[in-house]
Amino acid sequence: MSLALLSGHPQGAGVGAMPVSTQGPGDALRAETPAQLMEGIRREATARLLPLLGETLRSERARVQKSLEAATGDSPARAMESEDLASLTVLAAELIQHEQKWQKALGEVFAVWPDPPVAQGHDAYSLLSDDELQAQLIGQPVAEALDRRFESVRDIIDRRLHTLAARLQYRGRPSNPLAARFLVESFLRAFDAGDCGRRLRAALLRRHEALLDGELAALYGWCNTRLAEAGCALAGDSDQAALIAGLGGSMDAVPANKTRIWETGNAVARAGAGASPASRLEAPRGNLLRRHARRQRDDRRAELDAAERSFLRDEFMSTLALLQADRLLPPGTSHAARLREGMYMVAGGLGIDRRTVAFDAEQDEAMTVVGALFDRLAERHTLGPAAREKLALLAVPWLHLALEDPQLFEPSSPPAMQVLSLLVELWDGTDGGDAQSLELQTLADRVADAILDAPHGDGRVFAAQLAQIDAALAAGRRRAEAVERRTWQALRGRERLDAARRQASFELQRRLEGRPLLPSVAGFLDVEWRQALAQAWLRDGDASDRYREVLSLGDALVESDGLAANDGGSAVADRLLGMLPALRDCCAQCGADPAATEARLAGLVAEHASPTPRQVHVPTAPAGDDAPLLPDDADLVAGLADTRFSEGQRFVQPGAAGVGRTLRLAWRSSLSGACLLVNASGTRELLLMPDALQAMIDSGHLQARPPNGGAVSEALSTLAARAGAA
């Protein structure tokens, strides 16, 4: 690290330049507000970096043109380069528009400083788009490479920005708007996937990286000097007392061990600072959980007061990073206890005596809340031993998130919480005998390993793994949904048929009512008429004209039988003649041929005309293969009105030897309320009325999972309710 950078002056400055912390900057620069200072840095960065966009296009166009001139034949590579050349020509013609998009992207980074910019185009429930995933895949390696090359000077600027942010009462580490990742993101937003293909976009980014490599050293040097002249000292250097005095603080406030002044955020703060960031004020559920955790901390006040000091923030984060890398948590009664013991274990390896150091309030509250969340997840889900241990290890990166993101526990559900919900659901109820279930468990293990292996504090891993889970599940989900659809469509057709038959049997019973009838009349009503009535219900509905016509035919046939019994004479004949077309239609719907139909009707007319004994008819019971899908005594009205269960809800069926299997409510009947439960492959497992399903849950044969919002949402809602009650 050069002395020129540390002093805030570029190389070539006078040898006798004083250190930043002791020389007196101009009054005009010191009088600038942080907003004015950052606006000046933005303007200078724009002036230096904006021309690089045009230079990037010109350089890449020259390369493609040269390659085309050297190529011969009509190879696929030549065709692609010709297409790239055409795209570059269009991009160059629209350069002003792309420069405006770049300026807008970089301006948004500066506009929210000291906070980092929010993800573009995202809401709480969205996944990465193809464009965003592509930008992340090609942009992250470039940003990391630039960060490594300029790590020393960027670290100096970061520390000066930390001090500047402290003037705004900002706790925590501010973002660096000139960090490589923001510059790369701004470039990718200037030339998005709609402007050029992925291959050309990646080539442009590589060309832009080379140009940035030659420009950033000078820009960073200028920025460092500008911040130094404005009185922004290096947060954490050995001149803390002078810094505090320069910012209006009291020298009496400096402790004997000067490193203690960095405990509230490792930045220089104004005397009396203590205002909470706006993000904390907008996190009601998180604040409720932290207050509840603070009451638990008060119960251990004697233990905490015995310590000589608290963990420094950087000290805590470094220890947390090592704990994540070690992948080893000591046993304990709760996840919070395991986190605390794990931190002390790693700190002991670094020479920190646990008897002399304690966790500060923010650290302890975060461990308590995260521990309670993971306790609830482990308690409410059926996880195998390996999954339980991996879940415990994941509490480490989520502890880091809890310290960095005040909104983590809010109902908005950031990507990290969505990933955690999905992981728990994938691990929950793994069936060792089901290949699909084992595949889901392997996916969860792979995602958990990727999160644990990611650089400590890199929040991008959650959005990336969320996209990975969605992509991995897509094909299996489509197959399962196809199987489910065929299953419930068949069930719905069968259930409609049952309902039609049930209604037809009801209407038949109303007309029989213990009434003696001619055998031919009773037989016709029992077979042809009942079937025609069921078909009219299925095809046209019970409010249709066709359905009412069939009902009227049954009534007319019963009346004609009554007339014949009373020796109606010609009136019976007239009545039968009027009904013959409708009677023939009933026979045709049953599939009878014309000859069989005429024979059937002839027998019916003959019995009306001759004295034939009448008897009470018992309706024919359905054949074995026509048995109803649901029992006759099922309370269909109650089942239809039941709202305890909803489509998509998960259930776990415990196994006899440990972890069971996961079932999902794939369909609820709109006729009866019946619930279809399928396995991971979409195959039918259970078809139950809501009361029967509830009985299985009450008996422990099934375990219901939250219907909406996922595992984490249910856990946080429960914890918040407990905290509110306490």
Side-chain angles (χ1 to χ4, degrees):
M1 186 182 297
S2 68
L3 291 175
L5 285 173
L6 282 172
S7 65
H9 290 269
Q11 294 184 13
V15 175
M18 298 174 64
V20 173
S21 57
T22 58
Q23 75 178 35
D27 293 338
L29 292 178
R30 278 193 177 276
E32 277 189 318
T33 65
Q36 292 170 333
L37 178 58
M38 294 304 292
E39 176 60 20
I41 293 174
R42 186 196 64 79
R43 288 198 300 268
E44 181 67 20
T46 301
R48 289 173 180 258
L49 299 181
L50 186 61
L52 300 186
L53 270 68
E55 183 62 27
T56 298
L57 292 178
R58 287 189 291 273
S59 300
E60 184 62 17
R61 192 173 189 278
R63 184 197 68 78
V64 174
Q65 184 71 50
K66 183 177 180 180
S67 177
L68 279 172
E69 292 172 354
T72 57
D74 295 326
S75 64
R78 179 180 174 82
M80 287 190 292
E81 288 187 334
S82 298
E83 183 180 343
D84 288 348
L85 183 61
S87 297
L88 286 167
T89 302
V90 174
L91 292 176
E94 300 173 346
L95 179 60
I96 293 179
Q97 299 177 22
H98 298 295
E99 288 178 339
Q100 290 173 346
K101 290 162 68 175
W102 180 88
Q103 290 185 74
K104 181 176 182 291
L106 187 63
E108 289 173 356
V109 180
F110 276 88
V112 298
W113 188 87
D115 287 313
V118 297
Q120 296 297 322
H122 272 280
D123 61 34
Y125 298 96
S126 64
L127 300 179
L128 285 176
S129 67
D130 291 340
D131 180 30
E132 291 164 331
L133 185 57
Q134 178 197 118
Q136 186 178 89
L137 291 175
I138 66 176
Q140 184 173 342
V142 173
E144 290 176 350
L146 288 170
D147 260 339
R148 285 193 295 270
R149 287 199 287 272
F150 296 98
E151 182 176 5
S152 297
V153 60
R154 185 185 49 76
D155 179 65
I156 294 171
I157 295 174
D158 285 348
R159 294 165 69 187
R160 294 193 190 281
L161 288 174
H162 206 170
T163 299
L164 181 64
R167 299 181 186 178
L168 299 173
Q169 319 296 346
Y170 186 80
R171 288 187 64 191
R173 293 188 179 279
S175 67
N176 183 345
L178 297 181
R181 72 183 184 95
F182 296 134
L183 300 180
V184 169
E185 288 172 3
S186 298
F187 179 83
L188 291 172
R189 288 178 60 191
F191 300 100
D192 58 33
D195 300 321
C196 52
R198 175 174 180 172
R199 189 170 53 83
L200 177 57
R201 196 181 186 195
L204 287 173
L205 182 57
R206 288 194 298 270
R207 185 72 55 184
H208 191 65
E209 177 188 7
L211 296 174
L212 282 176
D213 201 20
E215 184 63 38
L216 283 183
L219 175 61
Y220 283 161
W222 175 88
C223 181
N224 179 60
T225 301
R226 186 74 177 79
L227 290 169
E229 289 174 346
C232 300
L234 302 179
D237 64 15
S238 60
D239 206 13
Q240 301 97 329
L243 267 139
I244 289 181
L247 293 174
S250 170
M251 294 292 288
D252 297 334
V254 182
N257 179 2
K258 293 182 179 181
T259 60
R260 294 294 295 276
I261 69 172
W262 311 111
E263 287 185 11
T264 59
N266 198 26
V268 180
R270 289 179 184 268
S276 299
S279 55
R280 275 288 175 87
L281 297 176
E282 298 169 359
R285 186 160 73 181
N287 291 338
L288 173 64
L289 294 174
R290 291 183 180 94
R291 284 196 300 271
H292 185 59
R294 194 173 307 138
R295 288 193 290 270
Q296 299 177 48
R297 175 180 169 84
D298 291 340
D299 296 337
R300 297 181 285 111
R301 177 57 56 190
E303 170 195 343
L304 299 172
D305 290 343
E308 297 177 6
R309 67 180 184 91
S310 298
F311 273 98
L312 309 180
R313 183 176 180 83
D314 282 349
E315 188 178 44
F316 183 90
M317 290 300 188
S318 299
T319 305
L320 194 61
L322 290 174
L323 181 60
Q324 180 174 331
D326 289 345
R327 289 206 187 187
L328 180 62
L329 283 175
T333 57
S334 67
H335 285 87
R338 297 187 69 181
L339 285 171
R340 292 188 179 95
E341 288 302 314
M343 291 292 290
Y344 278 130
M345 178 183 69
V346 175
L350 299 174
I352 301 175
D353 188 350
R354 66 179 297 167
R355 293 171 297 182
T356 63
V357 65
F359 304 109
D360 68 21
E362 184 181 13
Q363 296 159 3
D364 194 76
E365 290 164 13
M367 279 190 281
T368 300
V369 176
V370 170
L373 169 62
F374 278 72
D375 286 344
R376 178 70 179 175
L377 292 175
E379 168 193 332
R380 288 285 295 163
H381 295 85
T382 307
L383 309 179
R388 284 184 176 276
E389 189 57 30
K390 194 148 288 188
L391 179 67
L393 293 174
L394 289 176
V396 177
W398 263 264
L399 174 57
H400 182 276
L401 286 172
L403 290 167
E404 294 292 329
D405 183 7
Q407 303 290 323
L408 184 67
F409 304 114
E410 300 311 301
S412 55
S413 186
M417 292 310 207
Q418 296 178 47
V419 170
L420 184 57
S421 275
L422 286 174
L423 286 175
V424 172
E425 290 174 5
L426 291 174
W427 278 322
D428 188 21
T430 302
D431 184 1
D434 182 9
Q436 179 74 14
S437 184
L438 292 175
E439 183 179 338
L440 297 179
Q441 181 185 15
T442 302
L443 171 62
D445 291 341
R446 188 166 64 246
V447 170
D449 288 336
I451 293 172
L452 292 170
D453 291 338
H456 186 63
D458 185 359
R460 292 170 297 182
V461 67
F462 302 107
Q465 291 306 310
L466 196 60
Q468 292 290 334
I469 292 176
D470 188 64
L473 292 179
R477 187 185 297 123
R478 285 194 296 269
R479 288 194 300 269
E481 287 175 352
V483 175
E484 290 171 13
R485 190 180 304 109
R486 288 194 297 269
T487 303
W488 65 254
Q489 284 176 345
L491 289 174
R492 182 177 62 180
R494 177 64 185 279
E495 193 178 65
R496 281 177 52 80
L497 179 59
D498 285 350
R501 287 172 172 171
R502 187 188 296 255
Q503 184 65 24
S505 296
F506 171 74
E507 295 293 346
L508 174 65
Q509 191 63 43
R510 283 182 56 195
R511 281 151 184 82
L512 298 180
E513 291 182 313
R515 179 186 292 123
L517 294 173
L518 290 169
S520 60
V521 171
F524 192 92
L525 290 172
D526 193 6
V527 180
E528 287 88 352
W529 180 80
R530 180 161 60 168
Q531 185 168 343
L533 188 63
Q535 289 181 3
W537 190 97
L538 283 172
R539 293 172 181 172
D540 304 303
D542 59 358
S544 64
D545 291 339
R546 172 61 183 163
Y547 185 79
R548 286 193 292 269
E549 289 172 1
V550 179
L551 283 178
S552 299
L553 176 63
D555 293 335
L557 198 55
V558 172
E559 290 175 5
S560 68
D561 181 273
L563 289 174
N566 296 324
D567 193 17
S570 61
V572 175
D574 293 341
R575 178 66 64 89
L576 288 175
L577 286 172
M579 289 190 294
L580 281 178
L583 294 172
R584 287 192 178 95
D585 188 37
C586 278
C587 293
Q589 289 189 43
C590 292
D593 57 41
T597 298
E598 293 306 321
R600 178 73 160 152
L601 295 182
L604 185 66
V605 172
E607 286 194 4
H608 276 77
S610 60
T612 305
R614 289 171 171 77
Q615 58 186 10
V616 176
H617 181 77
V618 178
T620 306
D625 55 352
D626 290 335
L629 189 65
L630 298 170
D632 290 335
D633 58 352
D635 191 349
L636 302 185
V637 176
L640 188 59
D642 197 297
T643 58
R644 285 173 289 181
F645 310 107
S646 57
E647 290 184 5
Q649 186 173 356
R650 295 172 56 255
F651 300 85
V652 171
Q653 190 174 38
V659 179
R661 58 177 179 165
T662 299
L663 305 178
R664 194 170 68 85
L665 202 166
W667 171 73
R668 279 207 67 184
S669 169
S670 59
L671 287 173
S672 65
C675 303
L676 169 66
L677 272 62
V678 300
N679 59 22
S681 302
T683 306
R684 170 182 171 178
E685 292 290 341
L686 297 170
L687 181 67
L688 302 168
M689 293 299 292
D691 284 342
L693 179 55
Q694 185 63 53
M696 290 192 70
I697 294 172
D698 294 341
S699 66
H701 290 90
L702 280 179
Q703 298 172 3
R705 296 298 182 246
N708 297 306
V712 170
S713 178
E714 185 276 338
L716 289 175
S717 297
T718 301
L719 295 177
R722 291 177 181 174

